[in-house]
Amino acid sequence: MAEMKDSAFLREIKNKAAKLGKRIVLCEGEDARVVKAASESVKQGIAKITLLGDAEEIRKNNPEIDLTGVDIVSPATCEKRKEYAKLLFELRKAKGMTEEEAEKLSYDNTYFGVLMLKAGDVDGLVSGACHSTANTLRPGLQIVKAAPGVPLVSSYFLMIAPEGGNPYCEDGAFVFSDCGLNENPSSEQLAEIALISAQSAKKIAGMEPRVSMLSFSTKGSAKHDDVAKVAKAFAIAKEKAPDLAIDGELQLDASIVPSVAKSKAPGSKVAGHANVLIFPDLDAGNIGYKLTERLGGFQAVGPLCQGFAKPINDLSRGCKAEDIVAVVAITALQSQMN
């Protein structure tokens, strides 16, 4: 089967990443997709790669993959592991972690990778191809933590339109938030997700953000507590960022279809042209991105985390190697945001 060609949108992201020369750690050397992505990332010049796992096992299990230029590190034999274990203990001893517990966790690939990131030995981390979101984010929240002034870590998917475009996707991609982390955010949290997602759209995707706070109602067309939550979130976000192009609450069709926007939200600067879609909860976000990917033919890159002090990104366990390469490129770009 022929590999999917990159869209012009994704090629631009990769080209920007390649100019930075960042080092990204991939934690799951036991997964063939991750190994292939490590190889491709180096081959395409997107980033320097550290791949975690046993080098002999990785090469034996993936004989067809060229790993020239990929730095393979095993936590069990790395000379820095004890240094990282000490760092973990110092960071977590106030929370009751013992030296023995820190020593044991330092053998875990994800903890080891996050400690590399905390120590400044890599610029970003990608994991989650064969592990749960909790497995990836727990050490991130414990060790790297949220950036100063950021009240919560959230996630987004970069939904890249298929080659040839999509009539409702003016910029070549959408930002969908939060589709992978916060289950039922409050109005205040939803507002924060909207604001940081707008930053991600601008700084990572190069888009001028037009943010829609999604609901099953448009401008009071329905009355419900869920609608009120979204309307309040819009009001909070607008007060915090008065110059941001944001509107809500809006239904999906009113957000991206100009003809529908004219009748449902006349006069809105966002309706009909939104490129950042903020979902009211994780149910809607997860369903929305998967429908767009599977039925709409978009490439779903993520879930990408936003709000960490240093770049940490989760992967969907259904991801393909090319998706991981795209996340590597975005992780490199995120390192410039902190």
Side-chain angles (χ1 to χ4, degrees):
M1 184 182 293
E3 291 188 11
M4 183 172 62
K5 291 184 179 179
D6 289 342
S7 65
F9 189 95
L10 185 53
R11 285 196 298 272
E12 179 63 21
I13 285 177
K14 288 183 175 181
N15 289 339
K16 288 179 182 177
K19 294 175 183 177
L20 301 177
K22 298 296 182 178
R23 178 168 291 279
I24 307 300
V25 59
L26 301 179
C27 298
E28 298 163 310
E30 70 271 34
D31 191 298
R33 296 167 298 172
V34 176
V35 178
K36 184 177 181 183
S39 173
E40 284 298 317
S41 297
V42 170
K43 192 181 299 182
Q44 295 177 36
I46 294 166
K48 301 168 187 175
I49 297 294
T50 295
L51 179 63
L52 299 186
D54 182 272
E56 186 177 340
E57 284 293 313
I58 290 171
R59 290 194 170 93
K60 183 179 76 174
N61 293 333
N62 304 277
E64 75 289 356
I65 298 177
D66 179 10
L67 289 167
T68 303
V70 177
D71 182 27
I72 303 176
V73 174
S74 169
T77 58
C78 179
E79 60 185 18
K80 281 199 166 186
R81 188 192 56 74
K82 287 192 177 296
E83 180 184 322
Y84 292 151
K86 184 178 179 181
L87 173 61
L88 178 57
F89 171 66
E90 291 299 326
L91 290 168
R92 299 295 296 171
K93 64 183 179 182
K95 298 290 185 180
M97 181 173 286
T98 66
E99 290 184 76
E100 291 76 14
E101 288 169 334
E103 174 79 9
K104 182 178 179 181
L105 285 172
S106 70
Y107 284 93
D108 177 88
N109 281 14
T110 309
Y111 272 92
F112 185 91
V114 174
L115 287 163
M116 291 183 80
L117 181 60
K118 179 69 174 180
D121 293 330
V122 295
D123 300 298
L125 176 146
V126 177
S127 190
C130 57
H131 290 89
S132 69
T133 293
N135 182 272
T136 299
L137 299 187
R138 185 184 299 110
L141 291 167
Q142 290 177 348
I143 298 166
V144 169
K145 303 181 180 179
V150 176
L152 83 163
V153 173
S154 58
S155 74
Y156 69 97
F157 275 86
L158 187 59
M159 305 298 298
I160 300 174
E163 201 64 49
N166 178 282
Y168 305 119
C169 187
E170 300 172 14
D171 298 271
F174 290 107
V175 167
F176 281 16
S177 296
D178 180 343
C179 303
L181 188 54
N182 293 285
E183 295 173 357
N184 190 20
S186 65
S187 294
E188 291 75 14
Q189 290 172 327
L190 211 52
E192 293 295 339
I193 290 168
L195 296 177
I196 198 168
S197 297
Q199 292 180 32
S200 293
K202 189 165 190 169
K203 295 181 179 179
I204 301 301
M207 302 189 298
E208 194 58 42
R210 299 180 296 277
V211 185
S212 174
M213 310 292 289
L214 294 178
S215 174
F216 65 84
S217 167
T218 295
K219 297 297 185 179
S221 64
K223 304 295 181 184
H224 191 275
D225 287 348
D226 290 347
V227 175
K229 180 181 87 165
V230 176
K232 182 180 177 182
F234 162 65
I236 294 169
K238 191 64 180 174
E239 183 177 356
K240 288 188 172 184
D243 295 331
L244 177 64
I246 183 171
D247 207 351
E249 82 282 4
L250 295 173
Q251 291 164 291
L252 187 279
D253 55 355
S255 300
I256 65 172
V257 183
S259 60
V260 176
K262 285 180 183 178
S263 62
K264 289 190 174 184
S268 172
K269 294 180 180 180
V270 170
H273 305 281
N275 54 16
V276 180
L277 303 182
I278 307 301
F279 291 83
D281 57 38
L282 197 55
D283 274 336
N286 185 274
I287 293 166
Y289 100 77
K290 288 180 178 176
L291 277 171
T292 306
E293 178 186 27
R294 300 298 180 178
L295 299 185
F298 280 65
Q299 182 181 3
V301 181
L304 302 158
C305 296
Q306 47 191 6
F308 275 117
K310 293 186 175 186
I312 294 174
N313 280 314
D314 190 21
L315 294 165
S316 167
R317 277 174 281 180
C319 66
K320 299 180 284 291
E322 57 261 33
D323 299 329
I324 302 171
V325 175
V327 173
V328 167
I330 291 168
T331 305
L333 292 181
Q334 285 177 322
S335 68
Q336 299 296 101
M337 292 178 65
N338 298 309

